[in-house]
Amino acid sequence: MKKVILSFDYELFFGERSGTVDNSIIRPTELLLNKLNRINGKATFFVDYLMIKFLEAQPQTVEDAQKITTQLQKIVRQGHRIELHIHPHWIDARYNGNGTWDFKDFTHYSLNSLPEETVSDMFTEGCNMLNRIAGTVDPSYRIVAFRAGGWAVQPFSHLYKAFKKANIKIDSSVSTGFCYKGDDSFYDFTLTPDKPIYTFKNDVLVEDKDGEFIEFPISSYEYTFPMRIVNCVHKYLNPGLFRQTTDGTHSRISYGTLPTKIRKSGSILSKFTLSRLSPYVLFHALKKEKKELLVFLDHPKDFTFSALSFLSLLEGNVKFHLYTDFIDH
């Protein structure tokens, strides 16, 4: 039976419409939690701590911050994990006054745009915040994992001190085979070890058996032409299943160049996600995959009801895991 780690980036949209906390985070997360509870599934939520910090600092959005805190406590109470996620361009964000945010300035979209000391301070501040939130449920709770905003974990040497200072043991920012170069961010994982887990020290692309950190790459698969046909037919026959239910958008002006996806034998590489593809296509890809451990990536803000259908297919066919199941901590 395959092992599956379900991971969700818990954040607002960073496109032309940020979406609202209620509609793009709280409500879809509740639907996911209810489903996970019914199938006895476990998940890890990478929480954009700067989002909470800036919501708390704005008088009009303090209530939104409290809703998030309450939901994060519920997540921990139900046996899931919250871990650290950082989108540093929050420092350039502007509140629109209607529950939404203006993210037009992406000067600091990547952590590597900031001094190392600032990055270390963010890691420490973020871990302390999330530990306090989770600690109201479990006093011994400690943040141990990280995912970089926009997957911008390179060069890792720029983050090394932050990982050490915050006692982060796990990274899950890499997705083997993908690369991207834009105006505000970049990553290149084309030379990443094609393994479900590996240790590293100074470079996320280089396996080091004596490494201090563990990488859990986000899993991908070959999205073949027949899969694309099935996916299109399923979407055509079930439009309501794939309709976005949240109120933000990824699209934005001047996004830079499009991500490059490695092509293999005429097919493209696709990440294991929950909300955007036919549950049957995803389940077929899962069954076909040779690796025994798969890491799924999704976002509550991308929620469609196809995610719940896919979770139903997973019930009884996989064993759900948390990242922390694989480390001593």
Side-chain angles (χ1 to χ4, degrees):
M1 185 176 287
K2 280 193 172 57
K3 301 172 183 177
V4 166
I5 295 176
L6 298 177
S7 70
F8 296 90
D9 290 358
Y10 189 94
E11 63 192 30
L12 286 173
F13 287 91
F14 301 118
E16 294 170 43
R17 298 197 313 273
S18 71
T20 58
V21 167
D22 275 339
N23 292 326
S24 289
I25 299 180
I26 301 298
R27 290 172 184 167
T29 300
E30 283 299 314
L31 291 170
L32 290 167
L33 290 175
N34 291 340
K35 185 65 174 181
L36 288 168
N37 186 53
R38 287 197 293 273
I39 66 172
N40 198 30
K42 297 301 176 187
T44 298
F45 292 81
F46 286 96
V47 180
D48 184 359
Y49 100 90
L50 281 176
M51 171 182 65
I52 303 174
K53 179 180 178 179
F54 277 79
L55 289 172
E56 288 178 338
Q58 191 73 236
Q60 303 100 308
T61 56
V62 169
E63 185 178 346
D64 281 342
Q66 185 55 53
K67 289 178 182 177
I68 286 174
T69 297
T70 299
Q71 187 169 68
L72 295 180
Q73 291 166 337
K74 178 179 180 178
I75 286 171
V76 174
R77 192 175 296 113
Q78 292 187 349
H80 309 291
R81 291 280 304 182
I82 61 172
E83 300 291 358
L84 182 64
H85 190 43
I86 302 178
H87 273 285
H89 60 289
W90 269 97
I91 64 179
D92 301 311
R94 297 292 180 270
Y95 183 57
N96 290 326
N98 60 355
T100 67
W101 291 79
D102 182 338
F103 291 112
K104 289 188 179 69
D105 189 344
F106 285 86
T107 303
H108 298 104
Y109 185 75
S110 298
L111 284 168
N112 58 35
S113 69
L114 299 166
E116 278 188 48
E117 196 60 39
T118 301
V119 174
S120 290
D121 289 344
M122 283 184 170
F123 269 68
T124 302
E125 182 181 55
C127 287
N128 287 342
M129 174 190 285
L130 298 180
N131 283 333
R132 283 196 302 270
I133 291 172
T136 61
V137 179
D138 177 2
S140 66
Y141 197 100
R142 294 294 179 270
I143 299 298
V144 296
F146 172 75
R147 175 170 291 151
W151 300 358
V153 72
Q154 295 165 299
F156 182 75
S157 58
H158 195 71
L159 308 184
Y160 179 85
K161 291 180 181 177
F163 267 60
K164 292 289 288 183
K165 185 177 179 182
N167 201 29
I168 296 294
K169 299 179 180 180
I170 293 169
D171 180 70
S172 190
S173 306
V174 167
S175 190
T176 304
F178 285 88
C179 62
Y180 170 82
K181 185 172 177 58
D183 295 337
D184 316 300
S185 180
F186 80 93
Y187 54 79
D188 187 346
F189 303 137
T190 53
L191 299 178
T192 308
D194 190 16
K195 294 184 174 182
I197 307 176
Y198 61 90
T199 54
F200 70 97
K201 185 173 184 179
N202 297 310
D203 187 340
V204 293
L205 300 185
V206 179
E207 181 178 16
D208 184 335
K209 293 182 179 179
D210 298 318
E212 305 164 77
F213 313 111
I214 308 173
E215 182 64 45
F216 288 77
I218 300 156
S219 302
S220 58
Y221 61 94
E222 288 189 62
Y223 187 35
T224 64
F225 182 73
M227 286 179 172
R228 281 176 269 167
I229 294 297
V230 172
N231 190 60
C232 288
V233 171
H234 195 195
K235 283 189 172 184
Y236 177 78
L237 295 176
N238 302 275
L241 198 62
F242 300 93
R243 187 176 297 117
Q244 181 178 314
T245 63
T246 53
D247 58 356
T249 178
H250 289 284
S251 64
R252 70 180 194 246
I253 299 171
S254 185
Y255 194 79
T257 57
L258 293 174
T260 301
K261 299 179 180 181
I262 289 181
R263 295 182 177 273
K264 293 183 178 181
S265 305
S267 65
I268 64 174
L269 209 60
S270 183
K271 299 181 295 295
F272 274 100
T273 182
L274 276 73
S275 299
R276 298 186 177 188
L277 295 176
S278 162
Y280 304 106
V281 168
L282 284 169
F283 194 66
H284 172 75
L286 180 148
K287 286 291 190 181
K288 189 178 178 182
E289 178 57 50
K290 294 180 181 179
K291 294 186 181 72
E292 288 303 309
L293 172 64
L294 299 176
V295 176
F296 281 71
L297 164 68
D298 216 314
H299 303 71
K301 65 187 181 185
D302 285 333
F303 179 84
T304 66
F305 284 96
S306 63
L308 303 186
S309 296
F310 181 63
L311 288 173
S312 292
L313 291 177
L314 291 184
E315 183 180 13
N317 289 294
V318 303
K319 186 173 182 181
F320 295 102
H321 281 275
L322 302 171
Y323 292 96
T324 49
D325 292 341
F326 298 91
I327 66 168
D328 296 324
H329 64 101

